[in-house]
């Protein structure tokens, strides 16, 4: 398109969402567009440094991603499927009308041309409908849009290949409909609070724009479907590979001099209890001839409540741009951004995906053949040891990871989001 567009980005205020959307914000700014970003106050300075104007969660509750319970009390002490249902209802759905109010106030002050939204931003769906403006969904996690031939999302199930499997999926869809009834009720309630009429859409359908979905990842990591709702394009990784900005830990020179292969262990940045994955990995690999490079996932906190084995080195966060080219295997909770970053470098994975989108990530990586799915977020040391032995010892995993890495490197995700959005704005509506 010619000329500058007013772009509003809506980003759920989680570090795992902010990092890829910062790359998107920089790409829009670099292309000459005027960018606002609706997100939490903790991330305002980062987006401002990227050349975007922050618009903060005000009517919507501005929460601390590392301590959700004070804002969302029902999440206190929850993990697994129970957490997922309550997490979706309280955090993602019941904040929707307040998000919409924040966004429409910004629109009234200065209208935008297009709303480019994190795929879990219900407020963006409501605000786009309220303002009558086009919306682009940026899917930061594996696609969970309901479609024919797919099992219910969130369970980490592979597509059915038999009549029995299709019966299974039918029964599971019925069960999901019953279990998610409070979520659907909350969704329709939020529509009414936002001043919108009743809709036949479900919450899951509403999260995906019919105008355009830019899906992170590549088709090699997505199950084939007989049809997709709306227009979906794969854009690879949402990173500009310009450097993470994370400093080297003090032990970095020691690690560089160590000839043993590096196994990276990460608990991710959400549900960061180190007892879930880091502790059993220490027990599994602490005596193996590897060096363990461990990230706690909590900025400013590199301490652990248990001792680390002699072959482990721990930091709060690690500079992936310099770490990943050196590692042999990643042991991870299955955060999508970290998984794609590892695969970009052809690194095979051991994935302990416990809840939220993590079981889906683990299932897709195992289905593609680039790693092992541990099928739990709290694996035993023996399970981790056996999976690491398979992934490090069987060349097929690395071969597939390298093939997916080649596909990822053919993309420039942030730039492609900008180009697809510009094409949407240029097309007749």
């Amino acid at each position: 398109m010619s000329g500058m567009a007013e772009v509003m980005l809506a980003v759920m205020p989680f570090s795992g969402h902010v990092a890829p959307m910062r790359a998107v914000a920089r790409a829009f700014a670099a292309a000459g567009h005027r960018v606002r970003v609706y997100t939490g106050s903790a991330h305002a300075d980062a987006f401002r440094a990227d050349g975007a104007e922050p618009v903060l969660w005000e009517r919507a509750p501005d929460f601390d991603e590392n301590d959700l319970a004070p804002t969302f009390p029902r999440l206190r002490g929850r993990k697994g499927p129970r957490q997922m249902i309550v997490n979706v209802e309280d955090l993602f759905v019941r904040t929707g009308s307040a998000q919409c109010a924040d966004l429409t106030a910004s629109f009234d002050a200065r209208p935008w041309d297009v709303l480019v939204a994190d795929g879990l931003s219900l407020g963006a769906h409501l605000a786009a409908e309220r303002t009558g403006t086009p919306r682009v969904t940026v899917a930061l996690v594996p696609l969970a849009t309901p479609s024919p031939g797919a099992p219910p999302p969130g369970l980490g199930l592979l597509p059915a290949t038999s009549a029995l499997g299709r019966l299974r999926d039918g029964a599971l869809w019925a069960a999901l409909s019953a279990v998610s009834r409070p979520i659907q009720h909350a969704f329709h309630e939020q529509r009414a609070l936002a001043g919108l009429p009743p809709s036949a859409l479900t919450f899951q359908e509403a999260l995906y724009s019919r105008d355009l979905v830019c899906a992170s990842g590549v088709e090699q990591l997505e199950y084939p479907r007989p049809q997709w709702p709306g227009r979906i394009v794969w854009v690879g990784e949402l990173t500009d590979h310009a450097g993470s900005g994370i400093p080297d830990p003090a032990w970095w020179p020691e690690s560089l001099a160590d000839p043993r292969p590096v196994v990276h262990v990460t608990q991710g940045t959400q549900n960061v209890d180190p007892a879930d994955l880091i502790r059993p990995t220490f027990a599994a690999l602490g005596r193996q001839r590897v060096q363990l490079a461990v990230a706690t996932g909590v900025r400013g906190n590199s301490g652990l409540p248990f001792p680390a084995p002699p072959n482990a080195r721990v930091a709060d966060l690690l500079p992936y741009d310099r770490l990943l080219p050196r590692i042999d295997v990643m042991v991870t909770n299955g955060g999508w951004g970290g998984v794609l970053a590892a695969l970009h470098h052809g690194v095979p994975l051991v994935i302990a995906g416990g809840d939220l989108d993590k079981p889906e990530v683990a299932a897709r990586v195992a289905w593609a053949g680039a790693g092992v799915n541990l099928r739990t977020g709290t694996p035993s040391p023996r399970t981790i040891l056996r999976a690491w032995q398979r992934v490090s010892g069987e060349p097929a995993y690395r071969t597939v990871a390298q093939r997916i890495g080649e596909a990822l490197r053919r993309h420039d995700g942030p730039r492609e989001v900008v180009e697809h959005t510009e094409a949407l704005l240029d097309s007749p509506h």
Side-chain angles (χ1 to χ4, degrees):
M1 63 174 294
S2 58
M4 178 186 72
E6 284 278 354
V7 180
M8 172 64 82
L9 268 63
V11 185
M12 293 299 290
F14 294 99
S15 296
H17 295 231
V18 167
M21 292 299 280
R22 284 189 65 188
V24 173
R26 288 192 293 269
F28 272 109
H33 302 298
R34 191 172 180 183
V35 184
R36 279 172 283 174
V37 180
Y38 176 58
T39 193
S41 59
H43 307 289
D45 288 344
F47 280 109
R48 191 177 289 112
D50 295 330
E53 175 188 335
V55 176
L56 301 184
W57 282 42
E58 292 183 353
R59 296 165 183 83
D62 191 7
F63 58 86
D64 178 355
E65 66 176 303
N66 294 312
D67 190 13
L68 296 174
T71 310
F72 305 101
R74 290 204 302 160
L75 289 177
R76 194 179 306 276
R78 291 178 181 265
K79 290 184 180 180
R82 288 192 311 155
Q83 185 212 35
M84 180 171 161
I85 296 295
V86 176
N87 189 58
V88 169
E89 181 181 346
D90 289 11
L91 198 162
F92 291 97
V93 182
R94 292 196 177 278
T95 63
S97 61
Q99 292 178 49
C100 178
D102 286 337
L103 283 164
T104 52
S106 185
F107 180 84
D108 290 342
R110 192 172 83 235
W112 60 69
D113 296 304
V114 63
L115 180 51
V116 180
D118 172 345
L120 291 174
S121 174
L122 176 60
H125 160 71
L126 302 175
E129 188 170 341
R130 275 287 305 270
T131 58
T133 51
R135 173 172 63 118
V136 176
T137 298
V138 182
L140 304 178
V141 297
L143 295 172
T145 178
S147 62
L155 301 176
L157 296 175
L158 302 182
T161 57
S162 65
L164 185 62
R166 286 187 285 275
L167 286 173
R168 173 207 70 180
D169 286 354
L172 288 172
W173 275 113
L176 179 64
S177 177
V179 169
S180 65
R181 196 167 289 126
I183 292 174
Q184 303 306 334
H185 175 76
F187 165 59
H188 293 294
E189 182 181 77
Q190 292 297 302
R191 284 188 59 86
L193 289 171
L196 294 170
S199 170
L201 291 176
T202 66
F203 168 68
Q204 291 93 336
E205 292 168 331
L207 292 177
Y208 293 93
S209 168
R210 291 300 187 268
D211 297 324
L212 174 64
V213 174
C214 294
S216 57
V218 288
E219 290 185 78
Q220 290 93 325
L221 289 167
E222 183 54 69
Y223 310 134
R225 314 275 180 100
Q227 66 182 73
W228 290 97
R231 179 169 178 246
I232 295 173
V233 294
W234 275 267
V235 297
E237 287 178 277
L238 293 172
T239 178
D240 52 18
H241 295 285
S244 63
I246 297 171
D248 295 341
W251 47 257
W252 191 256
E254 180 185 349
S255 176
L256 289 174
D258 191 328
R260 294 174 296 180
V262 180
V263 175
H264 173 42
V265 187
T266 173
Q267 193 76 58
T269 56
Q270 186 73 22
N271 289 344
V272 290
D273 185 346
D276 289 348
L277 183 57
I278 295 175
R279 187 170 196 164
T281 303
F282 280 175
L285 304 183
R287 296 186 178 182
Q288 301 299 317
R289 188 166 176 73
V290 296
Q291 51 174 316
L292 302 176
V294 182
T296 67
V298 181
R299 187 177 293 275
N301 180 14
S302 58
L304 294 171
F306 43 80
N311 66 339
R313 300 179 176 95
V314 184
D316 54 351
L317 302 171
L318 287 168
Y320 270 14
D321 51 316
R322 299 184 296 287
L323 172 70
L324 293 180
R326 300 181 54 233
I327 70 174
D328 185 61
V329 173
M330 180 189 281
V331 180
T332 173
N333 73 329
W336 188 229
V339 164
L340 292 180
L343 291 172
H344 174 97
H345 292 281
V347 176
L349 301 126
V350 173
I351 305 183
D355 50 28
L356 304 176
D357 60 297
K358 311 300 190 297
E360 292 294 330
V361 174
R364 281 164 169 77
V365 169
W367 169 79
V372 171
N373 178 6
L374 300 183
R375 301 181 184 276
T376 177
T378 55
S380 69
R382 177 175 293 184
T383 301
I384 295 171
L385 176 62
R386 289 176 175 173
W388 168 74
Q389 288 170 333
R390 283 180 59 192
V391 169
S392 61
E394 298 179 19
Y397 289 108
R398 194 171 309 279
T399 298
V400 174
Q402 290 171 343
R403 188 180 308 130
I404 293 172
E406 291 171 0
L408 286 166
R409 291 192 296 273
R410 286 196 289 269
H411 287 278
D412 181 342
R415 181 180 58 80
E416 290 174 33
V417 172
V418 172
E419 290 175 350
H420 287 300
T421 301
E422 290 173 341
L424 174 67
L425 291 174
D426 282 341
S427 64
H429 299 301

